[in-house]
């Protein structure tokens, strides 16, 4: 057959609005099916890992299989609480945006297991390099809720002095690096930070986050190269929530292979993990820590999860995906799954759950109230002098003159 | 320029005018294709490409990975093949990962290859502040492009120009950075946040002809004639300038540059020679901003006509700060004050 | 054992100057040992490919094994001639630099098989996106030698009008895209060009080159993502010549895995090929073309080769590697290996070889002489107006004024 | 400033002075480390780091992958940890792949994090022309950095300053772009390619003290006092300016800016108020180059003292062309002509 010319392939998702959602193309192994090699296994023996899916919680809520971690119920309850708090806070502050109290908001609904489990597992002197979708990290470490709301309102008490878009937090004392709007850039900072830890002979680990869409950035690759070449003690996490604004994961390459498989090209282990399974997230992170501590350097983890809500307050997801996709997502809701497990092992019940929800809702309302007493966006702000501070360690004549010109002295 | 007010004209927002420009070019030139993040099925985060995939097909209008360097890089390769790719960078703040492709490749290809290859690409990107977008959804990077020889940089201030300049950019044989002032996508904004928002409807420059027309690159437009001082502006700042001039009560001439490369130096010089004074207005940070080049050029060419120092009214030399949107954004009040200063007797 | 802290790993090559070279760490399979799957095999069944090494010519010069291509002797002789011409030209023009006739030169010594085989195999309307080390492409297509030298001398007849550094050629009519000094950027152009071919329904293939050191650039990754997502008809080639100026390949990750393995993370096939074996290069390229024509998109090929000389005229390789590394390189010299094979199959002999060398040397000398008659760097140059041309399609007032100011009218 | 001519001083080239600065800092501060392409075992393509790996160990001085964005990105992460990384970008032309890391991260980190994190990194990179390096080994990108608030940009013109400014940069709490004028690495060059090359030996500013000293950022140096016109220059151009002034026979004051951010505005303004005239000299392309900012500032602050237009003598607005090195490079002749022009009676 003579060759007749090429055709440009434009990937498209299985289903669009108006169609029934379908997840048939996802091959999801049952909980317990994916083996757990010893963390000290050399990377070249781990090349099948990225094609499995480490899962612990089965459909009934049992913890099963080789990845089953050893976590006490108290810690599980702390995880549940942090996830719930994240969910409730997100709901409440999303509403605050709709009420005109701030300019922007983003939820992490459906993805809370990843950041909360990792936050609880990592140490106080470790550092996470967050995306905008890992609020759970701060919730798990009891960051003051009012400070979050003050930041979201850019009001006079905003810890970031009114300089940053809502939710692009920074919380050094909580092991939470400064977020920025541009994607991917901080991934390299995580590796640099980890290299510094190793340079000093410290035992601190860096944990980097990136969205599956953002793995396409050049910075992702350069970061992995550095992590691999210098054996940096870090855990690099891809939160594959299937969507990047309106683009399904296939636009970032998901139809061709897994995101975890990107590890192979750097000689790193690539784990693929049920990101809606608190116990699996815990176990995979634990495995990566042990690996780093054994002198084996970095691990790449793909957390397979789902963005249950819109990208941000700026988009309506039903314009680009079937409206019932979120409820049909085969890996469920991470909060319900942990709750089910805790209930099953008789460490939780509906009454306690209801009480917890009520208590957390109360806390969130109180925080919002406190922050609103200070002021919402435009109603209250830090002194205008703050606009000119922190550009440099000390302002130069330009900033001093301009501060004067702006009447901010 | 087609006649205004004919049946084919209709009042469009800048979004619609840009959409119409892309639709026109996709319709008439099979070598034109467009891609960028979220621009396909979804129609772009600002809806500029709405409906274009459905109408022209996925191969003509498609989503791209979050990889700005490859978006520009692939566009250059396509252009070298003979296509006319138009790409969208979701926010101008996110063009920086592709800066090397623009500077070292797009801008240099024709020169270094002795004319064997060139890159007629158009890079559309929303820019500028006034929308509470915070540090990375508000910046104005035009000076960075202006310094890079080989690139053209175009900035419309109204729907009519937006369509005509975008078509001219796509048809241009050189790489064009097309900066879209997002604050005026849906209506003119004069820098007074307290005044009720206007839409483009009814604005004379929102009368946009159907079909193909161009506004040539490198021709400024005098938006207001005046005798006492020349105000240079582009993008959103054209509207702020008009308000500032009104507020000042000074008989200023307002020039909308429309493109900063190529720059319509003749119109500028002629005006300043007439008025003897000049104030430059832009959103970008002042230091080493494009206002510096304008100031230097005017000073070099009109020195003996100048009756007062040229002033620059610009964004402060700080990152773009969320809470301080209106303290940062150069509004009509700051322009009016500058106009008053330059009119003071020496 | 309590964990005592991390240590920063800084990779270092096996041997440095003053030491005996060692290649024991390289596992080189014998010719014929690496299997050749059908080009229509799905990529996920090809994940072991990057760990083999496709080789055809054995130590005795026999063509063996599954990758053995079907090439007529006349074509082999054309390949040998192009390689020899490249080698002789490089020697001569390197000397011209030492004689002060130009500012800069770079050789491709030891790597000639890659570009010459690919140039002969690809079609006239295909396009290669070269690095500075694939002069062989032009030699195989009979690019006029005098034009090369004129470019190197930046003289009045320089086809690039004096605007470009020596050897950063551009030759559109020979399927050779414009080179630039900055690394990695043109890799993405190759994919864009291939996408354009597919967009138009044409049958043209793009071939991109990148050095193993430059694979660390973000552009490498973004390019592969595009190639994979849009199934672009292209062949992306890493010439792993073991060195990036003074940095051994381990600085780019070679101690962790192969460069071909990077394909896996994009769901692309990754071939690893003996780059000093003209027949293996041919076979691998042929395989990739067939694959693209079967609608299977891009292939990544790592050509395992060796940079026998310094990086450029600016460095002395004996300052950073054992001086006898080049002669000890286990995969030999591509020219000698093809010559040996042709001789073995009785299609070549020493007399013909000597005659060819003499003839090519003569051609090169004649070209150099012709170009020197026009002038060497600084002695002859295009009119100064050329400095102001080609910046834009038409010069704007700035360039017109400046041309006048420069007195160039 | 340590006394000149003491036993501890010795005549050094700029390469040696930079090496001495790095050696000094590696010796006294365990938090300082350096990395970059080919800087480890090999000692860098210009030999600036020669011997430092052998002396201080591979963990203090090591090779980096060809990944400029990660070089800067990793340095930022290290700095956030508490180290003081000094990285080398092999040529300033190759800093562009890392431009986003510099602009969006290094320059913004302190501001956006409310002071929780900051990035005291130093990015050394050879820049500028005069070496037949062609388009991508000759460029002068300083204006791109100057426009980015949050970055400091330092450019030495001699060995003494090179060492003192580099140590000051490393010790500075902000990110510093340290541009090394490669044409004068091994000897001063006054822009006349026909004149025999000089080495630094014997030059008074090549007397470099051993050990630690700093030249503070933001303090210009008056290299020649004069009354008739002020010449502003930096890097290699300081030497070209001196030659051009001599050639012109005009009594010019020559200011070596030493850092463009922070800029020593006082010294500039004071001088121009005295002389009434100003000529700016730089290698970078003119349009929207740093000369524009200098021109605008001088015009704004000295308007009523100016007796002639401020002139800019710069690289042409073309890519850097190999064959035309000396047609492109702004030499003393072009400066002398500009000086003569500004001295003409109006
Ligand atoms: C460099 C850059 N390019 C583009 C954007 C615009 N943008 C913001 S979020 C987003 C999608 C990110 O998707 P993903 O990485 O999957 O993260 P998710 O939002 O799903 O958590 C895009 C394109 C940006 N912020 N930065
Ligand atoms: C973006 C960029 N960074 C750095 C350099 C400097 N440089 C020129 S060649 C080279 C080494 C390239 O090594 P490799 O990719 O292995 O190619 P090879 O020279 O071995 O063919 C370097 C670092 C450059 N030209 N461009
Ligand atoms: Mg996502
Ligand atoms: Mg190499």
């Amino acid at each position: 057959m003579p060759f007749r010319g090429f055709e440009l392939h434009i990937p498209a998702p299985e289903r669009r609005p108006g169609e029934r959602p379908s997840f048939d193309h996802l091959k999801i192994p049952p909980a317990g099916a994916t083996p757990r090699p010893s963390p000290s296994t050399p990377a070249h023996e781990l090349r099948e890992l990225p094609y499995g899916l480490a899962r612990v919680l089965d459909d009934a809520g049992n913890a099963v299989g080789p990845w089953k971690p050893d976590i006490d119920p108290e810690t599980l309850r702390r995880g549940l609480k942090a996830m719930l708090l994240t969910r409730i806070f997100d709901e409440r502050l999303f509403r605050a945006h709709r009420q005109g109290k701030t300019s922007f908001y983003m939820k992490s609904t459906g993805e809370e297991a990843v950041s909360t489990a990792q936050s609880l597992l990592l140490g106080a002197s470790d550092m996470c390099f967050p995306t905008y979708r890992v609020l759970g990290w701060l919730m798990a470490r009891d960051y003051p809720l009012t400070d979050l709301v003050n930041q979201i309102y850019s009001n006079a008490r905003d810890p970031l002095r009114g300089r940053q878009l809502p939710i692009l937090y920074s919380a050094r004392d909580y092991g939470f690096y400064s977020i920025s709007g541009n994607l991917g850039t901080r991934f390299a900072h995580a590796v640099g930070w980890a290299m510094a830890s190793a340079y000093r002979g410290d035992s601190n680990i860096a944990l980097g986050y990136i969205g599956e869409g953002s793995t396409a950035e050049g910075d992702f690759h350069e970061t992995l190269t550095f992590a691999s070449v210098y054996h940096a003690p870090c855990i690099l996490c891809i939160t594959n929530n299937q969507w990047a604004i309106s683009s399904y994961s296939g636009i970032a390459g998901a139809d061709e292979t897994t995101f975890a498989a990107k590890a192979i090209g750097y000689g790193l282990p690539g784990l693929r993990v049920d990101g809606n399974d608190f116990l699996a997230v815990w176990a995979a992170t634990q495995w990566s820590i042990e690996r780093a501590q054994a002198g084996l350097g970095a691990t790449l983890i793909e957390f397979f999860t789902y963005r249950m809500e819109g990208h941000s307050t700026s988009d309506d997801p039903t314009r680009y995906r079937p409206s019932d996709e979120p409820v049909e997502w085969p890996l469920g809701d991470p909060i319900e799954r942990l709750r089910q497990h805790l209930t099953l092992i008789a460490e939780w019940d509906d009454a306690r759950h209801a009480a917890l929800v009520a208590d957390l809702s109360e806390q969130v309302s109180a925080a919002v109230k406190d922050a609103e007493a200070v002021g919402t966006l435009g109603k209250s702000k830090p002194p205008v002098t703050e606009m000119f501070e922190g550009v440099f360690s000390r302002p130069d004549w330009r900033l001093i003159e301009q501060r004067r010109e702006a009447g901010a002295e | 320029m087609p006649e205004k007010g004919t049946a084919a004209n209709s009042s469009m927002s800048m979004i619609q005018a840009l959409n119409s420009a892309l639709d026109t070019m996709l319709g008439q030139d099979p070598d034109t294709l467009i891609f960028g993040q979220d621009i396909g099925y979804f129609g772009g985060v600002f809806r500029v490409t709405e409906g274009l995939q459905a109408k022209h097909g996925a191969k003509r209008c498609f989503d791209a990975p979050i990889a700005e360097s490859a978006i520009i890089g692939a566009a250059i390769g396509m252009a070298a093949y003979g296509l006319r790719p138009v790409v969208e960078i979701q926010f101008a703040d996110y063009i920086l990962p592709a800066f090397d492709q623009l500077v070292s490749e797009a801008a240099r290809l024709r020169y270094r290859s002795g004319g064997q290859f060139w890159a007629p690409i158009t890079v559309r990107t929303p820019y500028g502040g006034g929308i509470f977008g915070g540090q990375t959804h508000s910046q104005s990077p035009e000076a960075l492009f202006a310094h890079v020889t080989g690139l053209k940089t175009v900035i419309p201030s109204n729907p009519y120009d937006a369509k005509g300049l975008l078509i001219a950019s796509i048809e241009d044989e050189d790489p064009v950075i097309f900066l879209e002032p997002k604050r005026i996508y849906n209506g003119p904004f004069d820098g007074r946040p307290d005044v009720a928002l206007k839409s483009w409807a009814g604005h004379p420059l929102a009368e946009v002809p159907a079909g193909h027309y161009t506004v040539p690159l490198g021709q400024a437009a005098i938006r207001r004639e005046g005798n006492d001082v020349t105000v240079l502006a582009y993008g959103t700042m054209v509207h702020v300038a008009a308000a500032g001039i009104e507020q000042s009560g000074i008989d200023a001439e307002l020039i909308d540059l429309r493109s900063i490369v190529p720059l319509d130096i003749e119109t500028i010089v002629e005006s300043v020679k007439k008025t003897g004074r000049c104030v430059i207005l832009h959103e970008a940070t002042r230091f080493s901003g494009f206002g510096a080049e304008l100031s230097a050029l005017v000073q070099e060419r009109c020195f003996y006509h100048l009756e007062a120092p040229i002033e620059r009214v610009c964004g402060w030399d700080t990152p773009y700060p969320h809470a301080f949107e209106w303290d940062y954004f150069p509004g009509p009040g700051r322009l009016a004050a500058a106009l008053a200063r330059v009119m003071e007797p020496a």
Side-chain angles (χ1 to χ4, degrees), chain A, chain B:
Chain A
M1 194 184 74
F3 175 58
R4 294 187 172 284
F6 298 112
E7 226 188 296
L8 187 61
H9 171 74
I10 307 291
E14 296 284 318
R15 297 288 192 273
R16 284 296 192 189
E19 299 175 328
R20 285 215 38 73
S22 154
F23 297 104
D24 298 346
H25 58 292
L26 303 179
K27 276 162 225 74
I28 297 181
T34 295
R36 177 185 184 277
S38 151
S40 58
T41 314
H44 69 265
E45 291 174 21
L46 298 173
R47 288 189 205 132
E48 282 309 310
L49 263 185
Y51 308 102
L53 187 69
R55 304 182 61 199
V56 174
L57 291 174
D58 69 14
D59 290 351
N62 298 294
V64 300
W67 286 95
K68 180 179 170 179
D70 187 24
I71 322 181
D72 60 88
E74 187 46 39
T75 304
L76 290 176
R77 278 188 297 264
R78 283 181 62 201
L80 183 67
K81 178 181 154 198
M83 289 202 281
L84 271 170
L85 183 55
T86 306
R87 181 80 52 99
I88 292 164
F89 187 90
D90 273 350
E91 284 300 329
R92 184 67 191 76
L93 273 294
F94 190 89
R95 224 161 55 231
H97 171 268
R98 290 287 184 249
Q99 295 162 343
K101 292 176 181 161
T102 189
S103 59
F104 184 71
Y105 195 76
M106 294 176 99
K107 294 174 168 182
S108 43
T109 308
E111 305 174 41
E112 297 93 341
V114 175
S115 52
T116 52
Q118 296 195 309
S119 180
L120 290 173
L121 185 51
L122 269 86
S125 56
D126 296 327
M127 182 72 72
C128 98
F129 291 75
T131 63
Y132 43 69
R133 236 182 270 289
V134 295
L135 172 60
W137 182 283
L138 292 173
M139 294 306 194
R141 291 186 177 206
D142 299 321
Y143 185 87
L145 297 181
T146 311
D147 282 347
L148 293 176
V149 188
N150 288 335
Q151 196 280 327
I152 291 163
Y153 289 168
S154 283
N155 68 20
R157 294 257 173 80
D158 172 4
L160 304 187
R161 324 306 303 129
R163 298 187 195 136
Q164 188 54 296
L165 202 64
I167 82 156
L168 299 187
Y169 313 112
S170 178
R172 183 170 193 138
D173 295 344
Y174 296 77
F176 191 93
Y177 189 73
S178 159
I179 316 180
S180 171
N182 43 320
L183 299 167
T185 40
R186 274 87 55 214
F187 220 46
H189 302 192
V191 169
W193 196 95
M195 288 172 72
S197 170
Y199 173 85
R200 285 242 187 104
D202 294 343
S203 52
N204 303 321
I205 287 181
L207 189 143
Y209 288 110
I210 199 164
E212 94 293 341
S214 305
T215 62
E217 289 285 3
D219 277 333
F220 172 81
H221 166 69
E222 298 194 15
T223 299
L224 283 164
T225 299
F226 266 62
S228 151
V229 166
Y230 301 111
H231 299 187
C234 58
I235 309 174
L236 298 171
C237 305
I238 302 167
T239 51
N240 176 4
N241 63 5
Q242 316 300 322
W243 290 92
I245 310 186
S246 76
S247 299
Y248 86 115
S249 57
I251 299 296
D255 292 348
E256 312 299 327
T257 189
T258 72
F259 290 97
K262 297 196 185 289
I264 296 174
Y266 309 90
L268 294 174
L271 290 174
R272 193 151 160 276
V273 177
D274 180 349
N276 288 13
D277 176 342
F278 187 91
L279 281 78
V281 173
W282 185 285
T285 310
Q286 183 71 62
W287 188 90
S288 308
I289 295 170
E290 283 172 33
R291 194 170 171 84
Q293 292 183 343
L296 293 169
T299 301
L300 182 72
I301 313 181
E302 172 186 354
F303 289 111
F304 204 68
T305 180
Y306 186 82
R307 197 194 76 204
M308 288 176 67
E309 301 270 354
H311 172 72
S312 73
T313 43
S314 308
D315 69 320
D316 170 5
T318 65
R319 294 188 72 150
Y320 49 79
R321 69 185 188 190
S323 57
D324 45 357
E325 227 193 57
V327 291
E328 305 260 320
W329 173 247
L331 290 170
D333 177 329
I335 295 183
E336 288 311 315
R337 286 176 70 194
L338 183 56
R339 176 186 178 182
Q340 182 192 31
H341 172 67
L342 272 167
T343 307
L344 195 77
I345 62 173
E347 292 286 350
W348 198 242
D349 58 41
D350 288 358
R352 287 171 79 176
H353 195 80
L356 179 60
V357 168
D359 177 38
L360 296 176
S361 303
E362 187 50 46
Q363 287 181 34
V364 170
S365 292
V368 169
K369 222 173 128 196
D370 284 356
E372 291 187 0
V374 181
T376 55
L377 179 64
K379 303 280 187 318
S380 160
K381 65 185 177 190
V384 180
T385 48
E386 284 295 348
M387 178 162 64
F388 298 98
E389 292 299 318
V391 182
F392 294 102
S393 52
R394 283 181 306 155
D396 64 17
W397 57 266
R398 299 175 298 169
L399 294 163
I400 292 166
E401 286 186 7
Q402 292 176 16
R403 193 168 62 194
R404 197 179 307 136
E405 203 179 326
E409 272 179 314
Chain B
M1 169 168 154
E3 231 170 272
K4 297 273 178 74
T6 63
N9 283 5
S10 56
S11 188
M12 289 190 193
S13 72
M14 193 181 286
I15 300 276
Q16 292 166 323
L18 293 164
N19 183 282
S20 170
L22 294 169
D23 185 33
T24 302
M25 292 308 292
L26 286 170
Q28 78 175 53
D29 178 5
D31 285 337
T32 299
L33 81 172
I34 64 181
F35 59 102
Q37 291 153 21
D38 301 295
I39 72 145
Y41 185 89
F42 186 51
V45 297
F46 289 103
R47 331 289 321 135
V48 172
T49 57
E50 182 144 38
L52 297 179
Q53 183 178 79
K55 180 166 174 188
H56 299 280
K59 290 193 177 65
R60 311 287 309 281
C61 172
F62 55 88
D63 287 344
I66 305 174
E68 287 78 11
S69 186
I71 289 175
I72 309 277
I76 296 170
M78 290 175 183
Y81 195 91
L83 305 184
R84 288 196 175 266
V86 183
V87 300
E88 175 176 310
I89 298 294
Q90 203 161 81
F91 287 87
D93 315 72
Y94 305 138
I95 209 168
L96 297 184
F99 198 61
D100 191 39
Q101 283 288 353
L102 288 170
V103 177
S104 305
E105 295 296 335
R108 305 289 193 251
L109 184 58
R110 181 194 299 276
Y111 191 82
R112 74 169 191 241
S113 71
Q116 291 173 9
F117 299 93
W118 61 100
I121 65 170
T122 303
V123 181
R124 292 182 39 243
T125 186
Y127 93 109
I131 62 153
F132 280 98
Q135 301 190 16
T136 62
H137 305 91
S138 305
Q139 294 171 90
S140 298
E142 70 275 11
L144 302 175
F145 303 120
H147 187 46
V148 176
T149 193
L151 294 182
K152 293 178 175 169
T153 300
V154 175
I155 311 175
S157 71
N158 59 72
Y160 180 86
D161 282 3
K163 178 169 174 183
L165 288 168
L166 181 52
I167 292 178
S169 299
I170 297 172
E171 292 180 341
D172 197 88
E173 295 299 330
D174 294 311
V176 177
I177 312 294
F178 192 89
L179 296 174
E180 302 173 359
K182 66 175 97 74
R183 186 60 180 83
I184 55 170
Y185 263 155
N186 291 306
F189 174 69
D190 69 7
R192 290 177 301 170
D194 43 320
V195 168
L197 293 179
K198 273 182 284 201
S199 85
W200 279 109
H203 194 289
L205 289 167
E207 287 292 300
V208 176
H212 181 280
Y213 70 94
T214 60
V215 172
L217 309 187
Q219 288 188 11
I222 299 181
R223 298 294 176 201
R224 181 192 192 286
E225 301 208 356
N227 287 306
D228 291 346
V229 46
T230 301
V231 176
L232 303 179
Y234 42 88
T236 304
M237 287 294 125
V238 173
H239 306 274
V240 173
I245 291 168
E246 202 186 302
Q247 183 176 330
S248 74
I250 291 166
D251 184 25
E253 181 143 302
L254 170 55
I255 299 181
D256 175 357
L257 298 179
R258 298 207 284 204
S259 66
I260 62 171
V261 178
L263 182 70
D264 186 349
I265 187 71
E266 277 176 40
T267 299
I268 297 170
V269 168
E270 202 179 309
S271 174
V272 178
K273 284 193 173 159
K274 175 177 77 176
T275 62
R277 293 175 172 84
C278 182
V279 176
I280 298 151
L281 181 63
H282 66 55
E283 294 180 57
T285 51
R286 171 150 57 192
F287 201 74
S288 214
F290 189 66
E293 179 61 35
L294 290 172
S295 174
L297 283 171
V298 168
Q299 187 273 151
E300 281 156 10
R301 283 153 203 258
C302 310
F303 183 78
Y304 296 105
H305 294 78
L306 284 175
E307 291 171 41
I310 304 159
E311 286 223 21
R312 292 180 286 167
V313 177
C314 310
W316 310 118
D317 286 317
T318 75
Y320 208 105
H322 184 251
F324 308 106
E325 184 75 61
W326 306 124
D327 303 292
Y328 185 89
F329 193 87
R334 282 181 61 205
L335 177 66
L339 291 173
R341 272 196 304 276
V342 299
M343 293 311 296
E344 272 167 25

